[in-house]
Amino acid sequence: MVGPTSGLPGSFAMERGETPGEERQSGHHVLPTNLESDSLKKSNWGFLFTGIIGGALVTVYAVATPFITPALRKVCLPFVPATSKQIENVVKMLQHRRGSLVDIGSGDGRIVIAAAKEGFPAVGYELNPWLVWYSRYRAWREGVHGSAKFYISDLWKVTFAQYSNVVVFGVPQMMLQLERKLELELEGGARVIACRFPFPHWTPDHTAGEGVDTVWAYDMDSLRGREKRS
């Protein structure tokens, strides 16, 4: 004899240990497997996209900072590569000279390397580390890495008293301040070679070239002698 509930759908649910209410509730909360998979894929792509963007920003910051930071200083010394004619004129001003040489704001190292090839122990100071590393590579490639050295440094924090020959590719905004610094630090017999822009108060002893390729040479002995007579 069949019981009164044997023909009802709910009897099957109760035989499995579930109530009709539990069956209805579970149907509302269980997500299909394909939806869970799509959600996981979207989450993974989101993390990947965020990682790529973050990595790109870090790379741009690392590369650009050495170039941007100097521009934020009070006196900016921009990198403008020396022309072959400028290098030739600088070397001309070094004829019959001896002693060590320093290039203030050495850029990609062209002047220092050229001076090293002429037999000078040469040093370049440059604020941009990328240019310093490239200069060291160029010196190695040119076979003068033993006599051409490059350092990352702010020119205003360096003392130039130990150098007999000083080369500078300056800008007008810095020349007066640099003029005072060199006059206080350099020993007698030193020569300063200015490229592109002359010093505002010094009278050059020698000049070479014309236009943007002009270089001016100032001998400290002559400069101080003229100051004493005036």
Side-chain angles (χ1 to χ4, degrees), residues 70 75-79 104-106 126 155 168-171 174:
V75 178
C76 177
L77 188 60
F79 168 57
I104 300 176
S106 54
E126 170 60 49
L155 70 91
V168 56
F169 281 75
V171 293
M174 66 176 286

Side-chain angles (χ1 to χ4, degrees), residues 13-14 18 30 33 47-48 57 63 79 87 117 124 196 219:
M14 287 186 286
E18 296 178 357
V30 177
T33 304
F47 282 121
L48 179 61
L57 290 175
V63 173
F79 168 57
I87 297 173
K117 288 181 178 180
R196 293 200 181 98
D219 293 328

Side-chain angles (χ1 to χ4, degrees), residues 62-71 73 77-79 105-108 125-135 150-154:
V63 173
T65 296
F67 292 91
I68 296 173
T69 301
R73 294 176 176 268
L77 188 60
F79 168 57
S106 54
D108 62 0
Y125 290 100
E126 170 60 49
L127 193 60
N128 190 315
W130 298 99
L131 291 175
V132 170
W133 296 330
Y134 178 65
S135 298
F150 300 91
Y151 301 100
I152 304 170
S153 184
D154 186 334

